[in-house]
Coordinates of all heavy atoms in Angstrom, one line a residue:
M1 N 81.4 86.2 88.5 CA 80.6 85.9 89.7 C 79.4 85.1 89.2 O 78.8 85.4 88.2 CB 80.2 87.1 90.5 CG 81.3 87.7 91.2 SD 80.7 88.9 92.5 CE 82.1 90.0 92.5
K2 N 78.9 84.3 90.2 CA 77.6 83.6 89.8 C 76.7 83.8 91.0 O 77.1 84.2 92.1 CB 77.9 82.1 89.6 CG 78.5 81.4 90.8 CD 78.8 80.0 90.4 CE 79.5 79.2 91.5 NZ 79.9 77.9 91.2
K3 N 75.4 83.5 90.8 CA 74.4 83.7 91.8 C 74.0 82.4 92.4 O 73.6 81.5 91.6 CB 73.2 84.4 91.2 CG 72.3 85.2 92.1 CD 71.4 86.1 91.4 CE 70.6 86.9 92.4 NZ 69.8 87.9 91.8
A4 N 74.0 82.3 93.7 CA 73.5 81.1 94.4 C 72.5 81.4 95.4 O 72.9 82.1 96.4 CB 74.8 80.4 95.0
K5 N 71.3 81.0 95.2 CA 70.2 81.3 96.2 C 70.1 82.7 96.5 O 70.0 83.2 97.7 CB 70.4 80.4 97.4 CG 70.3 79.0 97.2 CD 70.3 78.2 98.5 CE 70.3 76.7 98.2 NZ 70.3 75.9 99.5
G6 N 70.2 83.6 95.4 CA 70.0 85.0 95.7 C 71.2 85.7 96.1 O 71.2 87.0 96.4
I7 N 72.4 85.1 96.3 CA 73.6 85.7 96.8 C 74.6 85.6 95.7 O 74.8 84.6 95.1 CB 74.1 85.0 98.1 CG1 73.1 85.0 99.2 CG2 75.4 85.6 98.5 CD1 73.4 84.2 100.4
L8 N 75.3 86.7 95.5 CA 76.4 86.7 94.4 C 77.6 86.0 95.1 O 78.0 86.3 96.2 CB 76.8 88.1 94.1 CG 75.9 88.8 93.2 CD1 76.4 90.2 92.8 CD2 75.8 88.0 91.8
V9 N 78.1 85.0 94.4 CA 79.3 84.2 94.8 C 80.4 84.5 93.9 O 80.3 84.3 92.7 CB 78.9 82.7 94.9 CG1 80.1 81.9 95.3 CG2 77.7 82.5 95.9
D10 N 81.6 84.8 94.4 CA 82.8 84.9 93.6 C 83.4 83.6 93.4 O 84.1 83.1 94.3 CB 83.7 85.9 94.4 CG 84.9 86.4 93.5 OD1 85.2 85.6 92.5 OD2 85.5 87.4 93.8
D11 N 83.2 83.0 92.3 CA 83.7 81.7 92.0 C 85.2 81.7 91.7 O 85.8 80.6 91.6 CB 82.9 80.9 90.9 CG 82.9 81.7 89.6 OD1 83.4 82.9 89.6 OD2 82.3 81.2 88.6
S12 N 85.8 82.8 91.7 CA 87.3 82.9 91.5 C 88.0 83.1 92.8 O 89.2 83.3 92.8 CB 87.6 84.0 90.5 OG 87.0 83.9 89.3
L13 N 87.3 83.0 93.9 CA 87.9 83.3 95.2 C 89.1 82.4 95.4 O 90.2 82.8 95.9 CB 86.9 83.2 96.3 CG 87.4 83.6 97.7 CD1 87.9 85.1 97.7 CD2 86.4 83.4 98.8
S14 N 89.0 81.1 95.1 CA 90.1 80.2 95.4 C 91.3 80.6 94.5 O 92.5 80.5 95.0 CB 89.7 78.8 95.1 OG 89.3 78.6 93.8
E15 N 91.1 81.1 93.3 CA 92.2 81.6 92.5 C 92.9 82.8 93.2 O 94.1 82.8 93.2 CB 91.7 82.0 91.1 CG 92.8 82.6 90.2 CD 92.3 83.1 88.9 OE1 91.1 82.9 88.6 OE2 93.1 83.8 88.2
Y16 N 92.1 83.7 93.6 CA 92.7 84.9 94.3 C 93.4 84.5 95.6 O 94.5 85.0 95.9 CB 91.6 85.9 94.6 CG 90.8 86.4 93.4 CD1 89.4 86.5 93.5 CD2 91.4 86.6 92.2 CE1 88.7 86.9 92.4 CE2 90.7 87.0 91.1 CZ 89.3 87.1 91.2 OH 88.6 87.4 90.2
Q17 N 92.8 83.6 96.3 CA 93.5 83.1 97.5 C 94.8 82.4 97.3 O 95.8 82.6 98.0 CB 92.5 82.1 98.2 CG 93.1 81.7 99.6 CD 92.1 80.8 100.4 OE1 90.9 80.8 100.1 NE2 92.6 80.2 101.4
E18 N 94.9 81.7 96.2 CA 96.2 81.0 95.8 C 97.3 82.2 95.4 O 98.4 82.0 95.8 CB 96.0 80.1 94.7 CG 97.2 79.4 94.2 CD 97.9 78.5 95.3 OE1 97.4 78.2 96.3 OE2 99.1 78.1 95.0
I19 N 96.8 83.1 94.7 CA 97.7 84.2 94.4 C 98.2 84.9 95.7 O 99.4 85.1 95.8 CB 97.0 85.3 93.4 CG1 96.7 84.7 92.1 CG2 97.8 86.5 93.3 CD1 95.8 85.5 91.2
A20 N 97.3 85.1 96.6 CA 97.7 85.7 97.9 C 98.6 84.8 98.7 O 99.5 85.3 99.3 CB 96.4 86.1 98.7
R21 N 98.3 83.5 98.7 CA 99.2 82.6 99.4 C 100.6 82.5 98.9 O 101.5 82.6 99.8 CB 98.6 81.1 99.3 CG 99.3 80.1 100.2 CD 98.8 78.7 99.9 NE 99.3 78.3 98.6 CZ 100.6 77.9 98.3 NH1 101.5 77.9 99.2 NH2 100.9 77.6 97.0
V22 N 100.8 82.5 97.6 CA 102.1 82.5 97.1 C 102.9 83.8 97.4 O 104.0 83.8 97.8 CB 102.1 82.2 95.6 CG1 103.5 82.4 94.9 CG2 101.6 80.8 95.3
A23 N 102.1 84.9 97.2 CA 102.8 86.2 97.4 C 103.1 86.4 98.9 O 104.2 86.9 99.3 CB 101.8 87.4 97.0
T24 N 102.2 85.9 99.8 CA 102.5 86.0 101.2 C 103.6 85.2 101.7 O 104.5 85.6 102.4 CB 101.2 85.7 102.0 OG1 100.2 86.6 101.7 CG2 101.4 85.7 103.5
R25 N 103.7 84.0 101.2 CA 104.8 83.0 101.5 C 106.1 83.7 101.1 O 107.1 83.6 101.9 CB 104.6 81.7 100.8 CG 105.6 80.7 101.1 CD 105.3 79.3 100.6 NE 104.2 78.8 101.3 CZ 104.3 77.6 102.0 NH1 105.4 77.0 102.1 NH2 103.2 77.2 102.6
T26 N 106.2 84.3 99.9 CA 107.4 84.9 99.4 C 107.7 86.1 100.3 O 108.9 86.3 100.7 CB 107.2 85.4 98.0 OG1 107.0 84.2 97.2 CG2 108.4 86.0 97.5
A27 N 106.8 86.9 100.7 CA 107.0 88.1 101.6 C 107.5 87.6 102.9 O 108.4 88.3 103.5 CB 105.7 88.9 101.7
L28 N 106.9 86.6 103.5 CA 107.3 86.1 104.8 C 108.7 85.5 104.9 O 109.3 85.4 106.0 CB 106.3 85.2 105.4 CG 104.9 85.7 105.7 CD1 104.0 84.6 106.2 CD2 105.0 86.8 106.8
E29 N 109.3 85.2 103.7 CA 110.6 84.6 103.8 C 111.6 85.6 104.3 O 112.7 85.2 104.8 CB 111.0 84.2 102.3 CG 110.4 83.0 101.9 CD 110.7 82.6 100.4 OE1 111.4 83.4 99.7 OE2 110.2 81.6 99.9
A30 N 111.3 86.9 104.2 CA 112.3 87.9 104.7 C 112.1 88.2 106.2 O 112.8 89.1 106.7 CB 112.1 89.2 103.9
Y31 N 111.2 87.5 106.9 CA 110.9 87.8 108.3 C 111.1 86.5 109.1 O 110.9 85.4 108.7 CB 109.5 88.3 108.4 CG 109.2 89.6 107.8 CD1 109.0 89.7 106.5 CD2 109.3 90.8 108.6 CE1 108.8 91.0 105.9 CE2 109.2 92.0 108.0 CZ 108.9 92.1 106.6 OH 108.7 93.4 106.0
E32 N 111.3 86.8 110.4 CA 111.4 85.7 111.4 C 110.0 85.4 111.9 O 109.3 86.3 112.5 CB 112.3 86.2 112.7 CG 113.7 86.4 112.3 CD 114.5 85.1 112.1 OE1 114.0 84.0 112.5 OE2 115.5 85.1 111.4
V33 N 109.5 84.2 111.7 CA 108.2 83.8 112.1 C 108.4 83.0 113.4 O 109.0 81.9 113.3 CB 107.4 83.1 111.1 CG1 106.1 82.7 111.6 CG2 107.3 83.9 109.8
P34 N 108.0 83.5 114.6 CA 108.2 82.7 115.8 C 107.7 81.3 115.8 O 106.6 81.1 115.1 CB 107.5 83.6 116.9 CG 107.5 85.0 116.3 CD 107.3 84.8 114.8
E35 N 108.3 80.5 116.5 CA 107.9 79.0 116.6 C 106.5 79.0 117.1 O 106.0 79.7 118.0 CB 108.8 78.4 117.7 CG 108.5 76.9 117.9 CD 109.5 76.0 117.2 OE1 110.6 76.6 116.8 OE2 109.2 74.9 117.0
G36 N 105.7 78.2 116.4 CA 104.3 78.0 116.8 C 103.3 78.9 116.1 O 102.1 78.7 116.1
Y37 N 103.8 80.0 115.5 CA 102.9 80.9 114.9 C 102.2 80.3 113.7 O 101.0 80.4 113.5 CB 103.6 82.2 114.4 CG 103.6 83.3 115.4 CD1 103.6 83.2 116.7 CD2 103.6 84.6 114.9 CE1 103.6 84.2 117.6 CE2 103.6 85.7 115.8 CZ 103.6 85.5 117.1 OH 103.6 86.6 117.9
R38 N 102.9 79.6 112.8 CA 102.4 79.1 111.5 C 101.3 78.1 111.8 O 100.3 78.1 111.1 CB 103.4 78.4 110.7 CG 104.4 79.4 110.1 CD 105.4 78.7 109.2 NE 106.5 79.6 108.8 CZ 106.5 80.5 107.8 NH1 105.4 80.6 107.0 NH2 107.5 81.3 107.5
D39 N 101.4 77.3 112.9 CA 100.3 76.4 113.2 C 99.0 77.1 113.7 O 98.0 76.5 113.7 CB 100.8 75.4 114.3 CG 101.9 74.5 113.9 OD1 102.1 74.3 112.7 OD2 102.6 74.1 114.8
R40 N 99.1 78.3 114.1 CA 98.0 79.1 114.6 C 97.4 80.1 113.6 O 96.4 80.8 114.0 CB 98.4 79.7 116.0 CG 98.8 78.7 117.0 CD 99.3 79.2 118.3 NE 98.5 80.4 118.7 CZ 99.0 81.4 119.4 NH1 100.3 81.5 119.6 NH2 98.2 82.3 119.8
F41 N 98.0 80.3 112.5 CA 97.6 81.3 111.5 C 96.1 81.1 111.3 O 95.5 80.0 111.1 CB 98.3 81.2 110.2 CG 99.7 81.9 110.2 CD1 100.6 81.5 109.2 CD2 100.1 82.8 111.1 CE1 101.8 82.1 109.2 CE2 101.3 83.3 111.1 CZ 102.2 83.0 110.1
T42 N 95.4 82.2 111.2 CA 93.9 82.3 110.9 C 93.8 83.3 109.8 O 94.4 84.3 109.7 CB 93.2 82.8 112.2 OG1 93.4 81.9 113.3 CG2 91.7 82.9 111.9
L43 N 93.0 82.9 108.8 CA 92.8 83.7 107.6 C 91.5 84.4 107.6 O 90.4 83.8 107.9 CB 92.8 82.8 106.3 CG 92.7 83.5 104.9 CD1 93.9 84.4 104.7 CD2 92.5 82.4 103.8
R44 N 91.5 85.7 107.3 CA 90.3 86.5 107.2 C 90.3 87.0 105.7 O 91.3 87.5 105.2 CB 90.3 87.7 108.2 CG 89.2 88.6 108.0 CD 89.3 89.7 109.1 NE 88.2 90.6 108.9 CZ 88.4 92.0 108.8 NH1 89.6 92.5 109.0 NH2 87.4 92.8 108.6
T45 N 89.1 86.9 105.1 CA 89.0 87.4 103.8 C 88.0 88.6 103.7 O 86.9 88.5 104.3 CB 88.4 86.4 102.8 OG1 89.2 85.2 102.9 CG2 88.4 86.8 101.4
V46 N 88.4 89.7 103.1 CA 87.6 90.9 103.0 C 87.4 91.2 101.5 O 88.3 91.2 100.7 CB 88.3 92.1 103.7 CG1 87.5 93.4 103.6 CG2 88.6 91.8 105.1
F47 N 86.1 91.6 101.1 CA 85.8 92.0 99.8 C 85.8 93.5 99.8 O 84.9 94.1 100.6 CB 84.5 91.4 99.3 CG 84.6 89.9 99.2 CD1 84.5 89.1 100.3 CD2 84.7 89.3 98.0 CE1 84.5 87.7 100.3 CE2 84.8 87.9 97.9 CZ 84.6 87.2 99.0
E48 N 86.5 94.2 98.9 CA 86.5 95.6 98.9 C 86.5 96.1 97.4 O 87.6 96.2 96.8 CB 87.8 96.2 99.6 CG 87.8 97.7 99.9 CD 89.0 98.1 100.6 OE1 88.9 97.9 101.9 OE2 89.9 98.4 100.1
G49 N 85.3 96.2 96.8 CA 85.3 96.5 95.4 C 86.0 95.4 94.5 O 85.6 94.2 94.6
D50 N 86.9 95.9 93.7 CA 87.6 94.9 92.8 C 88.9 94.3 93.5 O 89.8 93.8 92.8 CB 88.0 95.6 91.6 CG 86.9 95.7 90.6 OD1 85.8 95.1 90.8 OD2 87.0 96.5 89.6
I51 N 88.9 94.4 94.8 CA 90.1 93.9 95.6 C 89.6 92.9 96.6 O 88.6 93.0 97.2 CB 90.9 95.0 96.3 CG1 91.4 96.1 95.3 CG2 92.0 94.5 97.2 CD1 92.0 97.3 95.9
R52 N 90.4 91.8 96.6 CA 90.2 90.8 97.6 C 91.3 90.9 98.6 O 92.5 90.8 98.2 CB 90.1 89.3 97.1 CG 89.0 89.2 96.0 CD 87.6 89.4 96.6 NE 86.6 89.4 95.5 CZ 86.1 90.5 94.9 NH1 86.5 91.7 95.3 NH2 85.2 90.4 94.0
I53 N 91.1 91.0 99.9 CA 92.1 91.2 100.9 C 92.1 89.9 101.8 O 91.1 89.5 102.3 CB 91.8 92.4 101.8 CG1 91.7 93.6 100.9 CG2 92.9 92.6 102.8 CD1 91.2 94.9 101.7
F54 N 93.3 89.3 101.9 CA 93.5 88.0 102.7 C 94.4 88.4 103.8 O 95.6 88.8 103.6 CB 94.1 87.0 101.8 CG 93.2 86.6 100.7 CD1 93.3 87.3 99.4 CD2 92.2 85.6 100.8 CE1 92.4 86.9 98.3 CE2 91.4 85.3 99.8 CZ 91.5 85.9 98.6
E55 N 93.9 88.4 105.0 CA 94.7 88.8 106.2 C 95.1 87.6 107.0 O 94.2 86.8 107.3 CB 94.0 89.8 107.0 CG 93.7 91.1 106.3 CD 92.9 92.1 107.1 OE1 92.0 91.7 107.9 OE2 93.1 93.3 106.9
L56 N 96.3 87.4 107.4 CA 96.8 86.4 108.3 C 96.9 86.9 109.7 O 97.5 88.0 109.9 CB 98.1 85.8 107.9 CG 98.1 84.8 106.8 CD1 99.6 84.3 106.6 CD2 97.2 83.6 107.1
Y57 N 96.2 86.2 110.6 CA 96.3 86.6 112.1 C 96.8 85.5 112.9 O 96.7 84.3 112.5 CB 94.9 86.9 112.6 CG 94.3 88.2 112.1 CD1 93.5 88.2 111.0 CD2 94.4 89.3 112.9 CE1 92.9 89.4 110.5 CE2 93.8 90.5 112.4 CZ 93.1 90.5 111.3 OH 92.5 91.7 110.9
V58 N 97.4 85.8 114.0 CA 97.6 84.8 115.1 C 96.6 85.2 116.2 O 96.7 86.3 116.8 CB 99.1 84.9 115.6 CG1 99.2 84.0 116.8 CG2 100.1 84.6 114.5
P59 N 95.7 84.3 116.5 CA 94.7 84.6 117.5 C 95.3 84.8 118.9 O 96.3 84.2 119.2 CB 93.8 83.5 117.5 CG 94.4 82.4 116.6 CD 95.5 83.0 115.9
G60 N 94.7 85.6 119.7 CA 95.1 85.9 121.1 C 94.1 85.3 122.0 O 93.2 84.5 121.6
E61 N 94.1 85.7 123.3 CA 93.1 85.2 124.2 C 91.8 85.7 123.9 O 90.8 85.1 124.1 CB 93.6 85.5 125.6 CG 94.8 84.7 126.0 CD 95.1 84.8 127.5 OE1 94.2 85.1 128.3 OE2 96.2 84.6 127.9
G62 N 91.7 86.9 123.4 CA 90.5 87.5 123.0 C 90.6 88.2 121.6 O 91.8 88.3 121.1
P63 N 89.5 88.6 121.0 CA 89.6 89.2 119.7 C 90.6 90.4 119.6 O 91.3 90.6 118.6 CB 88.2 89.6 119.4 CG 87.4 88.7 120.2 CD 88.1 88.5 121.5
S64 N 90.6 91.2 120.7 CA 91.5 92.4 120.6 C 92.9 92.0 120.8 O 93.8 92.8 120.6 CB 91.0 93.4 121.7 OG 91.2 92.8 123.0
D65 N 93.2 90.8 121.2 CA 94.6 90.3 121.3 C 95.2 89.7 120.2 O 96.4 89.3 120.1 CB 94.7 89.3 122.5 CG 94.2 89.9 123.8 OD1 94.5 91.1 124.1 OD2 93.6 89.1 124.6
A66 N 94.4 89.5 119.1 CA 94.9 89.0 117.8 C 96.0 89.8 117.2 O 96.0 91.1 117.3 CB 93.8 88.8 116.8
A67 N 97.0 89.2 116.6 CA 98.1 89.9 116.0 C 98.0 89.8 114.5 O 98.0 88.6 114.0 CB 99.5 89.4 116.5
L68 N 97.9 90.9 113.8 CA 97.9 90.8 112.3 C 99.3 90.6 111.8 O 100.2 91.3 112.2 CB 97.3 92.2 111.8 CG 97.3 92.4 110.3 CD1 96.4 91.3 109.6 CD2 96.9 93.7 109.9
I69 N 99.4 89.6 111.0 CA 100.8 89.2 110.5 C 101.0 89.7 109.1 O 102.0 90.3 108.8 CB 101.0 87.7 110.5 CG1 100.8 87.2 112.0 CG2 102.3 87.3 109.9 CD1 101.9 87.7 112.9
S70 N 100.0 89.6 108.2 CA 100.1 90.1 106.8 C 98.7 90.4 106.3 O 97.7 89.9 106.7 CB 100.8 89.1 106.0 OG 100.0 87.9 105.8
S71 N 98.8 91.3 105.2 CA 97.6 91.6 104.5 C 98.0 91.6 103.0 O 98.9 92.3 102.6 CB 97.2 93.0 104.9 OG 96.1 93.4 104.1
A72 N 97.4 90.6 102.3 CA 97.7 90.5 100.9 C 96.4 91.0 100.1 O 95.3 90.5 100.3 CB 97.9 89.0 100.5
R73 N 96.6 92.1 99.3 CA 95.5 92.6 98.5 C 95.7 92.1 97.0 O 96.7 92.4 96.4 CB 95.6 94.1 98.5 CG 95.5 94.7 100.0 CD 95.8 96.2 100.0 NE 94.9 97.0 99.2 CZ 93.7 97.4 99.7 NH1 93.4 97.2 100.9 NH2 93.0 98.2 98.9
V74 N 94.7 91.4 96.6 CA 94.7 90.8 95.2 C 93.7 91.7 94.4 O 92.6 91.8 94.7 CB 94.4 89.4 95.2 CG1 94.4 88.8 93.8 CG2 95.3 88.6 96.1
H75 N 94.2 92.2 93.3 CA 93.4 93.0 92.4 C 92.7 92.1 91.4 O 93.4 91.3 90.7 CB 94.2 94.1 91.6 CG 94.8 95.1 92.6 ND1 94.3 96.2 92.9 CD2 96.0 95.0 93.3 CE1 95.1 96.9 93.7 NE2 96.1 96.1 94.0
V76 N 91.3 92.1 91.4 CA 90.6 91.1 90.6 C 90.9 91.2 89.1 O 91.1 90.2 88.4 CB 89.1 91.3 90.9 CG1 88.3 90.5 89.9 CG2 88.8 91.0 92.3
R77 N 91.1 92.4 88.6 CA 91.2 92.6 87.1 C 92.7 92.2 86.7 O 92.8 91.6 85.6 CB 91.0 94.1 86.8 CG 89.5 94.4 87.0 CD 89.3 95.9 86.5 NE 88.1 96.5 87.1 CZ 86.8 96.2 86.6 NH1 86.7 95.4 85.6 NH2 85.8 96.8 87.1
T78 N 93.7 92.6 87.5 CA 95.0 92.3 87.1 C 95.6 91.0 87.7 O 96.6 90.5 87.2 CB 96.0 93.5 87.5 OG1 96.0 93.6 88.9 CG2 95.5 94.8 86.9
R79 N 95.0 90.6 88.7 CA 95.4 89.3 89.5 C 96.8 89.5 90.1 O 97.6 88.6 90.3 CB 95.4 88.1 88.6 CG 93.9 87.7 88.4 CD 93.7 86.6 87.5 NE 92.3 86.0 87.4 CZ 91.3 86.7 87.1 NH1 91.3 88.0 87.0 NH2 90.1 86.1 87.1
R80 N 97.2 90.8 90.4 CA 98.4 91.2 91.1 C 98.2 91.3 92.5 O 97.1 91.7 93.0 CB 99.0 92.4 90.5 CG 99.5 92.2 89.0 CD 100.1 93.5 88.5 NE 101.2 93.9 89.5 CZ 102.0 94.9 89.3 NH1 101.8 95.7 88.2 NH2 102.9 95.2 90.1
A81 N 99.2 90.9 93.3 CA 99.1 90.9 94.7 C 100.1 91.9 95.4 O 101.2 92.0 94.8 CB 99.3 89.6 95.4
E82 N 99.7 92.6 96.4 CA 100.5 93.5 97.2 C 100.4 93.0 98.6 O 99.3 92.8 99.1 CB 100.1 94.9 97.1 CG 100.0 95.5 95.7 CD 99.2 96.8 95.6 OE1 98.8 97.3 96.7 OE2 99.0 97.2 94.5
V83 N 101.6 92.7 99.2 CA 101.6 92.2 100.5 C 102.3 93.1 101.5 O 103.4 93.6 101.2 CB 102.3 90.8 100.6 CG1 102.3 90.2 102.0 CG2 101.6 89.8 99.6
Q84 N 101.7 93.3 102.7 CA 102.3 94.1 103.8 C 102.5 93.1 104.9 O 101.5 92.3 105.2 CB 101.4 95.2 104.2 CG 101.4 96.4 103.2 CD 100.5 97.5 103.8 OE1 99.3 97.3 103.9 NE2 101.1 98.6 104.0
V85 N 103.6 93.2 105.6 CA 103.8 92.3 106.8 C 103.9 93.2 108.0 O 104.5 94.3 108.0 CB 105.1 91.5 106.6 CG1 105.4 90.7 107.8 CG2 105.0 90.7 105.3
F86 N 103.3 92.7 109.1 CA 103.3 93.4 110.4 C 103.7 92.5 111.5 O 103.6 91.3 111.5 CB 101.8 93.9 110.6 CG 101.1 94.6 109.5 CD1 100.4 93.8 108.6 CD2 101.3 95.9 109.3 CE1 99.7 94.5 107.6 CE2 100.6 96.5 108.3 CZ 99.9 95.8 107.4
N87 N 104.1 93.1 112.6 CA 104.4 92.4 113.9 C 105.4 91.3 113.8 O 105.4 90.4 114.6 CB 103.1 91.9 114.5 CG 102.1 93.0 114.8 OD1 102.5 94.0 115.5 ND2 100.9 92.9 114.3
L88 N 106.3 91.4 112.8 CA 107.4 90.4 112.7 C 108.7 91.1 112.6 O 108.7 92.2 111.9 CB 107.2 89.4 111.5 CG 106.0 88.5 111.6 CD1 105.9 87.6 110.3 CD2 106.0 87.6 112.8
E89 N 109.8 90.5 113.0 CA 111.1 91.1 112.8 C 111.7 90.6 111.5 O 111.5 89.5 111.1 CB 112.1 90.7 113.9 CG 111.7 91.2 115.3 CD 111.8 92.7 115.5 OE1 112.8 93.2 114.9 OE2 111.0 93.3 116.1
K90 N 112.4 91.6 110.8 CA 113.1 91.1 109.6 C 114.2 90.2 109.9 O 114.8 90.3 111.0 CB 113.6 92.3 108.8 CG 112.6 93.0 108.0 CD 113.2 93.6 106.7 CE 112.1 94.0 105.8 NZ 112.4 93.7 104.5
R91 N 114.5 89.2 109.0 CA 115.6 88.4 109.3 C 117.0 89.1 109.2 O 117.1 90.1 108.4 CB 115.7 87.3 108.2 CG 114.6 86.3 108.2 CD 114.9 85.2 107.2 NE 113.7 84.3 107.2 CZ 113.6 83.2 108.0 NH1 114.6 82.9 108.8 NH2 112.6 82.4 107.9
K92 N 117.9 88.7 110.0 CA 119.2 89.3 110.0 C 120.1 88.6 109.0 O 120.1 87.4 109.0 CB 119.9 89.3 111.4 CG 119.1 90.2 112.4 CD 119.8 90.1 113.7 CE 119.2 91.0 114.7 NZ 117.8 91.0 114.8
H93 N 120.7 89.3 108.1 CA 121.5 88.6 107.1 C 122.9 88.4 107.6 O 123.5 89.2 108.3 CB 121.6 89.5 105.8 CG 120.2 89.7 105.2 ND1 119.6 88.7 104.5 CD2 119.4 90.7 105.2 CE1 118.4 89.1 104.1 NE2 118.3 90.3 104.4
C94 N 123.5 87.2 107.4 CA 124.8 86.9 107.9 C 125.9 87.4 107.0 O 125.8 87.5 105.8 CB 124.9 85.4 108.0 SG 123.8 84.7 109.2

């Protein structure tokens, strides 16, 4: 981390975001993503100790109507990601 104007900045955030993006994309392959969802995905980043959490939402009409799609937790020390998927149906295998 580096300090910018008195604020600590995590200069590795883009690295963690890329780890989360790849892990999330892989996790979502097992699920049906409704038409139009991907174009509306909104990313939220949360800092929780040594973990960076990247949450994908589909916005609703109001904040309480937003649908959480996935949560990718990236561990800063190990750079490993754990992804949970919500509000989507698993793909049916033929």
